[in-house]
Amino acid sequence: MTSKLAEMEVECIAVTPDAEKLIELAGRTAYKSFDKITDESAGEFIRRIVKNGHESVLEHAVASFRISGISRACSHQLVRHRLASYTQSSQRFVDETGATYVVPPSIQNNEKVLKLYWNHLHNVEAMYDLLKQEGIPNEDARFVLPNATATEIVMTANFREWRHFFLTRGDPHAQWEIRALACTIFRQFQEFAPSVVDDLCIYEHRSAGLIIDRVVEE
Amino acid sequence: MTSKLAEMEVECIAVTPDAEKLIELAGRTAYKSFDKITDESAGEFIRRIVKNGHESVLEHAVASFRISGISRACSHQLVRHRLASYTQSSQRFVDETGATYVVPPSIQNNEKVLKLYWNHLHNVEAMYDLLKQEGIPNEDARFVLPNATATEIVMTANFREWRHFFLTRGDPHAQWEIRALACTIFRQFQEFAPSVVDDLCIYEHRSAGLIIDRVVEE
Amino acid sequence: MTSKLAEMEVECIAVTPDAEKLIELAGRTAYKSFDKITDESAGEFIRRIVKNGHESVLEHAVASFRISGISRACSHQLVRHRLASYTQSSQRFVDETGATYVVPPSIQNNEKVLKLYWNHLHNVEAMYDLLKQEGIPNEDARFVLPNATATEIVMTANFREWRHFFLTRGDPHAQWEIRALACTIFRQFQEFAPSVVDDLCIYEHRSAGLIIDRVVEE
Amino acid sequence: MTSKLAEMEVECIAVTPDAEKLIELAGRTAYKSFDKITDESAGEFIRRIVKNGHESVLEHAVASFRISGISRACSHQLVRHRLASYTQSSQRFVDETGATYVVPPSIQNNEKVLKLYWNHLHNVEAMYDLLKQEGIPNEDARFVLPNATATEIVMTANFREWRHFFLTRGDPHAQWEIRALACTIFRQFQEFAPSVVDDLCIYEHRSAGLIIDRVVEE
């Protein structure tokens, strides 16, 4: 039995087709300005509504991500975003034997502490096994599993909420793990909906590492 | 100047690609039962979660409709559904000259009343024109426009909310217009996500006309 | 038969008791800093969380208002705030004979237009009566009622949402009627929860009249 | 150093004053039937709207609870209710030395396992202390803390959502801990808003213990 390191994985499993065109099509309903739509008009339209704070139009486009290899500490924060939908692997129903574990950088970078950390996780796994052998059900045996235990979750949100997520969780004060998650998802948005996040950028912060912030206009 | 009859039009302008497969993929995260996925397994999986009331999984799929030719009376009810996103043509910004109007069946079916109704709408249009000529801005001139005035709105909601919409607005007690809208959208769901609405059906009600209700199991 | 002018009335019918103390009590749970609570500490605590953007704590306090004498044009905008609860008088069920009507300032201030406006509303009332006499039910007779028709609505929202309401609807670009409503409710907040709105102020705008904006720090 | 047992405590820290009267007052706005209000009419009015499924009116009343002595496993479920507001003690900021721990009944009732469980928790505490001594910050040291660790949270929701909470979390399939929480809050509702929960009852289930279910009409 060897405790295993979790690796964060983020896969976009669904996104509104032609999301930027849909946003423009929906958004132009307010003024009935459909005649202004061209093959290239969506980008400018979206950058303008974002600049003017009319973000409700962004809600018509939606993206879903499968997120795995994050800690339960991270997922407990994640599900606090109430304008989103979640399906998470359940420690009540799934046997967590063979689970993987997240290691914080402050521990990863300290050889002595890291050894003690993994040793502790081995003891946790042994304890979980023992509880299972004694007939304790999954939902109660999990009481000994630590925050470090990796989980898997599918999260769906509209583009307005994802922007809110980028700004609050990409902030230097956010936990390092959820901030890394925000950056990863942000990069995927830069691919499939660049105009929606065109006013935001990933920066190297002096102490916090990578963060998301508004682009500074010169 | 001739006042014109509005006709309800409903166009699906976006829907989650492979929606039923996405729902199954997301839903199986709870039990990590991905090995049970086959090319045909989504339908049965969805019918089971609907039957068991685990509808949160349906939230991962989303559909957007462009709805036009409904009255402002109808749209005022529509936007009361808070778990959805809307962009509506604005009477504050759009000049409503040339608007179309909805006629309730009780008026359509009464020749004498119908004539008076259209005559009244002509007077309304004349009044609106006059206010515009006197320099009254759109947002104030619209104060004379009636509930009958047709509007256009884009509505996006997830499948769980659409099911809720079908049951509350397809009910015999719902207003005839929003019930007709619910039936129209419901029929489109039967095309692109049949398993999601497989427990529901359009019935001919003894007095209310077409309604949506649960399929009676024999 | 004389059509009557509607007057906006706003009555606070419920508010969380000792709202500011409750916000502090709830808010200090995050850091377990309950020992810092004194008889006077709530105000400073709230001003700090507002300043730092930690507004989720404000959600624990709630206020309900009975709003009458606003137009259906205004209420249609009002109910677009989705993080609130509403009960509105129903034109489907209530006989609107004897309804009152809202007059926009641009019409009120134009003697010639005002006379035509009231004359039109008399015609509307006559038409509504006639439809009722012909046996048309309330829910269909209302199709001739204009946006000007006054309505009554109870709205409940938490303090975070009320702040959002003040800023979006107190804006110079908001409709004059919903902006007046925002200012009226804002003044009541200044009485019962002054710290919650201490960073906001009603200003006289050069063209829009009274607006709500952030206090400019010197 | 002795690990300590957590005890669930639930305190109602705020509730809408005269909640049932407020619900009636708001609810009667729909039909403008204010003349039917008497000193005793609220109860019957509320039981009727609940029976008819018009629960939106219940949203005007709100209750807040301080909940402590529940596990982080329980709070992770709790915050999945999205139509509510939360402030939770943060393991990122609060030093968890001296934390208390929840023991599942299946472990409590097994003397041998119980001894091993507490022994494990002592090891966890020692590990947490060690990480702290090595300079690991709270937000990373907490990665070794188990799901059993007790937390404190303030939860505010409207009465409609609380009813939904009672039915979903008082269900025999719910986790025993959140079900016990649901029953505890439910009993407080029976005191301050009896009509709102008059159709629900706590039952002794053959295997699950206490549950909440609809009253069976005879």
Side-chain angles (χ1 to χ4, degrees):
Chain A
M1 189 183 64
T2 320
S3 303
K4 283 193 293 281
L5 179 66
E7 280 190 83
M8 186 189 293
E9 290 184 55
V10 178
E11 181 194 0
C12 180
I13 58 174
V15 62
T16 301
D18 290 323
E20 299 207 343
K21 284 184 184 301
L22 175 73
I23 292 168
E24 184 185 19
L25 183 65
R28 289 199 183 277
T29 304
Y31 290 80
K32 289 197 173 173
S33 60
F34 303 116
D35 55 319
K36 294 186 180 168
I37 297 178
T38 69
D39 284 353
E40 287 87 29
S41 57
E44 193 191 325
F45 179 83
I46 290 170
R47 284 190 295 273
R48 194 168 65 244
I49 59 169
V50 167
K51 189 174 182 179
N52 295 340
H54 298 154
E55 299 201 8
S56 72
V57 180
L58 303 180
E59 297 176 23
H60 295 293
V62 173
S64 302
F65 294 89
R66 170 178 301 288
I67 301 161
S68 59
I70 59 167
S71 72
R72 294 266 303 181
C74 183
S75 72
H76 203 322
Q77 296 171 76
L78 194 61
V79 299
R80 289 292 294 276
H81 289 268
R82 288 164 291 183
L83 303 180
S85 301
Y86 304 93
T87 305
Q88 182 171 9
S89 66
S90 167
Q91 292 186 327
R92 290 186 68 203
F93 304 127
V94 174
D95 184 334
E96 286 284 46
T97 306
T100 59
Y101 300 91
V102 174
V103 182
S106 67
I107 291 174
Q108 186 67 44
N109 298 331
N110 184 326
E111 199 173 341
K112 175 185 159 197
V113 167
L114 182 61
K115 201 170 167 185
L116 292 164
Y117 185 78
W118 278 117
N119 191 52
H120 179 74
L121 292 177
H122 292 314
N123 293 341
V124 166
E125 292 202 317
M127 185 65 195
Y128 183 79
D129 282 354
L130 196 151
L131 291 173
K132 293 289 308 274
Q133 284 166 29
E134 292 289 336
I136 304 298
N138 288 342
E139 72 165 353
D140 291 343
R142 68 160 164 168
F143 270 64
V144 299
L145 295 179
N147 284 324
T149 314
T151 187
E152 185 166 345
I153 190 166
V154 171
M155 177 174 176
T156 297
N158 67 50
F159 284 15
R160 184 188 200 177
E161 180 64 16
W162 280 118
R163 279 181 55 86
H164 175 73
F165 182 75
F166 297 149
L167 282 166
T168 53
R169 301 305 186 167
D171 187 89
H173 296 98
Q175 186 226 10
W176 54 267
E177 192 180 10
I178 203 167
R179 196 170 61 234
L181 175 61
C183 289
T184 302
I185 296 176
F186 179 80
R187 284 195 196 91
Q188 301 198 21
F189 262 78
Q190 289 182 312
E191 296 298 320
F192 62 67
S195 305
V196 173
V197 293
D198 199 43
D199 62 323
L200 306 180
C201 191
I202 293 182
Y203 288 103
E204 177 79 34
H205 183 267
R206 58 189 148 66
S207 62
L210 298 182
I211 65 163
I212 301 171
D213 205 349
R214 294 184 192 281
V215 172
V216 179
E217 294 186 53
E218 311 212 348
Chain B
M1 187 182 67
T2 320
S3 302
K4 283 193 292 282
L5 179 66
E7 281 189 81
M8 186 189 293
E9 289 184 54
V10 178
E11 181 194 0
C12 180
I13 58 174
V15 62
T16 302
D18 291 323
E20 298 206 344
K21 284 185 184 300
L22 175 73
I23 292 168
E24 182 184 20
L25 183 64
R28 289 200 182 276
T29 304
Y31 289 81
K32 289 194 172 175
S33 59
F34 303 115
D35 55 318
K36 294 185 181 168
I37 297 178
T38 70
D39 284 355
E40 287 87 30
S41 56
E44 192 192 326
F45 180 83
I46 290 171
R47 285 189 294 272
R48 194 168 64 240
I49 59 170
V50 167
K51 189 173 182 179
N52 294 340
H54 297 154
E55 299 201 8
S56 73
V57 179
L58 303 180
E59 297 177 22
H60 296 293
V62 173
S64 302
F65 295 88
R66 170 179 301 289
I67 300 160
S68 59
I70 58 167
S71 72
R72 293 265 303 180
C74 183
S75 73
H76 203 321
Q77 298 170 74
L78 194 62
V79 299
R80 289 292 295 276
H81 290 268
R82 289 165 291 185
L83 303 180
S85 300
Y86 304 94
T87 304
Q88 183 171 8
S89 66
S90 168
Q91 292 185 327
R92 291 186 68 203
F93 304 127
V94 174
D95 185 334
E96 287 284 44
T97 306
T100 57
Y101 300 90
V102 173
V103 182
S106 67
I107 292 174
Q108 187 66 45
N109 298 331
N110 184 326
E111 201 174 339
K112 172 186 161 197
V113 167
L114 182 61
K115 203 171 167 185
L116 293 164
Y117 185 78
W118 277 117
N119 191 52
H120 179 74
L121 292 177
H122 293 314
N123 293 341
V124 167
E125 292 201 320
M127 184 65 195
Y128 183 80
D129 281 356
L130 195 152
L131 291 174
K132 293 289 307 273
Q133 284 166 29
E134 292 289 337
I136 304 299
N138 289 342
E139 72 165 354
D140 291 343
R142 68 158 165 170
F143 270 65
V144 300
L145 295 179
N147 284 324
T149 314
T151 187
E152 183 166 347
I153 191 166
V154 172
M155 178 174 175
T156 298
N158 67 49
F159 284 14
R160 184 189 199 177
E161 180 63 16
W162 281 118
R163 279 182 54 87
H164 175 73
F165 183 75
F166 297 149
L167 282 166
T168 53
R169 301 305 184 168
D171 187 89
H173 296 98
Q175 186 226 10
W176 54 269
E177 191 179 10
I178 203 167
R179 195 170 61 235
L181 175 61
C183 289
T184 303
I185 296 177
F186 179 79
R187 284 195 196 91
Q188 300 199 21
F189 262 79
Q190 289 182 313
E191 296 299 320
F192 62 67
S195 306
V196 172
V197 293
D198 199 41
D199 62 323
L200 305 179
C201 191
I202 293 183
Y203 288 103
E204 178 80 34
H205 183 267
R206 56 188 151 68
S207 62
L210 298 183
I211 65 164
I212 301 171
D213 204 349
R214 295 184 192 281
V215 172
V216 180
E217 293 185 55
E218 312 210 348
Chain C
M1 186 182 68
T2 320
S3 303
K4 284 193 291 285
L5 179 65
E7 280 190 82
M8 186 190 294
E9 289 185 55
V10 178
E11 181 194 359
C12 180
I13 57 174
V15 62
T16 302
D18 291 323
E20 298 207 344
K21 285 185 185 300
L22 175 73
I23 292 169
E24 183 186 19
L25 183 65
R28 289 200 182 276
T29 304
Y31 289 80
K32 288 195 173 175
S33 59
F34 303 115
D35 55 319
K36 293 186 181 168
I37 298 179
T38 70
D39 284 354
E40 288 86 30
S41 56
E44 193 191 324
F45 180 83
I46 290 170
R47 285 189 294 273
R48 194 168 65 241
I49 60 170
V50 167
K51 189 173 182 179
N52 294 341
H54 297 154
E55 299 201 8
S56 72
V57 180
L58 303 179
E59 297 177 22
H60 296 292
V62 172
S64 302
F65 295 88
R66 169 179 301 289
I67 300 160
S68 58
I70 59 167
S71 72
R72 295 264 304 180
C74 183
S75 73
H76 203 321
Q77 296 170 75
L78 194 62
V79 300
R80 290 292 294 275
H81 290 268
R82 289 164 291 185
L83 303 181
S85 300
Y86 304 92
T87 305
Q88 183 171 8
S89 67
S90 167
Q91 292 185 326
R92 292 186 67 204
F93 305 127
V94 174
D95 184 334
E96 286 284 44
T97 307
T100 59
Y101 300 90
V102 174
V103 182
S106 68
I107 291 174
Q108 186 67 44
N109 299 330
N110 184 326
E111 200 175 339
K112 173 185 160 198
V113 167
L114 182 62
K115 201 171 164 185
L116 292 164
Y117 185 77
W118 278 118
N119 190 52
H120 179 74
L121 292 177
H122 292 313
N123 292 341
V124 167
E125 291 202 321
M127 184 65 196
Y128 183 79
D129 281 354
L130 196 152
L131 291 173
K132 293 290 305 277
Q133 284 166 30
E134 293 289 337
I136 303 299
N138 289 342
E139 72 164 356
D140 290 344
R142 67 157 166 172
F143 270 64
V144 300
L145 295 179
N147 284 324
T149 313
T151 188
E152 184 166 345
I153 190 165
V154 172
M155 176 173 176
T156 298
N158 66 51
F159 284 14
R160 184 188 200 177
E161 180 63 16
W162 281 119
R163 279 181 56 85
H164 175 73
F165 182 75
F166 298 148
L167 283 166
T168 53
R169 300 305 185 167
D171 188 88
H173 296 96
Q175 186 226 9
W176 53 269
E177 191 180 11
I178 203 167
R179 196 170 60 236
L181 175 62
C183 289
T184 302
I185 296 176
F186 178 79
R187 283 193 197 94
Q188 300 199 21
F189 262 78
Q190 288 181 314
E191 296 299 319
F192 61 68
S195 306
V196 172
V197 293
D198 198 42
D199 62 323
L200 306 179
C201 193
I202 293 183
Y203 288 104
E204 178 78 35
H205 184 266
R206 57 189 150 66
S207 62
L210 298 182
I211 65 163
I212 301 171
D213 205 349
R214 295 184 192 280
V215 172
V216 180
E217 296 186 51
E218 310 210 348
Chain D
M1 188 183 64
T2 321
S3 304
K4 283 194 293 282
L5 179 65
E7 280 189 82
M8 186 190 294
E9 288 184 55
V10 178
E11 182 193 359
C12 179
I13 57 173
V15 63
T16 302
D18 291 323
E20 298 206 344
K21 284 183 185 300
L22 176 74
I23 292 169
E24 183 185 19
L25 183 65
R28 289 201 182 275
T29 304
Y31 289 81
K32 290 195 173 174
S33 59
F34 303 115
D35 55 319
K36 295 187 181 167
I37 298 179
T38 69
D39 284 355
E40 287 87 30
S41 56
E44 192 191 325
F45 180 84
I46 290 170
R47 285 189 293 273
R48 193 168 65 242
I49 58 170
V50 167
K51 189 173 182 179
N52 294 341
H54 298 153
E55 299 202 7
S56 72
V57 180
L58 302 181
E59 296 177 24
H60 296 293
V62 172
S64 302
F65 295 89
R66 170 178 301 289
I67 301 160
S68 59
I70 59 166
S71 72
R72 295 266 302 181
C74 183
S75 73
H76 204 319
Q77 297 170 74
L78 194 61
V79 300
R80 290 292 294 275
H81 289 268
R82 289 165 291 183
L83 303 180
S85 300
Y86 304 93
T87 305
Q88 183 171 9
S89 67
S90 166
Q91 292 186 326
R92 290 185 69 203
F93 305 126
V94 174
D95 184 334
E96 286 283 46
T97 306
T100 57
Y101 300 91
V102 174
V103 182
S106 68
I107 292 175
Q108 187 67 44
N109 298 332
N110 183 325
E111 199 174 340
K112 172 186 162 198
V113 167
L114 181 61
K115 202 170 166 183
L116 292 164
Y117 186 78
W118 277 118
N119 190 52
H120 179 74
L121 292 177
H122 292 314
N123 292 341
V124 166
E125 291 202 321
M127 184 65 195
Y128 184 79
D129 281 355
L130 196 151
L131 291 174
K132 293 291 305 279
Q133 283 166 29
E134 293 288 337
I136 304 299
N138 288 342
E139 72 164 356
D140 291 344
R142 68 159 164 169
F143 270 65
V144 300
L145 295 179
N147 285 324
T149 313
T151 188
E152 184 167 345
I153 190 164
V154 172
M155 177 173 176
T156 298
N158 66 50
F159 284 15
R160 183 189 200 176
E161 180 64 15
W162 280 120
R163 278 181 56 86
H164 175 72
F165 182 75
F166 297 149
L167 281 167
T168 53
R169 301 306 185 167
D171 188 89
H173 295 97
Q175 185 225 10
W176 54 268
E177 192 181 9
I178 203 167
R179 196 169 60 234
L181 175 61
C183 289
T184 302
I185 296 177
F186 178 79
R187 283 195 197 93
Q188 301 199 21
F189 262 78
Q190 289 182 314
E191 295 298 320
F192 61 69
S195 306
V196 172
V197 293
D198 199 42
D199 62 323
L200 306 180
C201 191
I202 294 183
Y203 288 103
E204 177 79 35
H205 183 267
R206 58 191 149 65
S207 61
L210 298 182
I211 65 164
I212 300 170
D213 205 350
R214 296 184 193 280
V215 172
V216 180
E217 294 186 52
E218 308 209 350

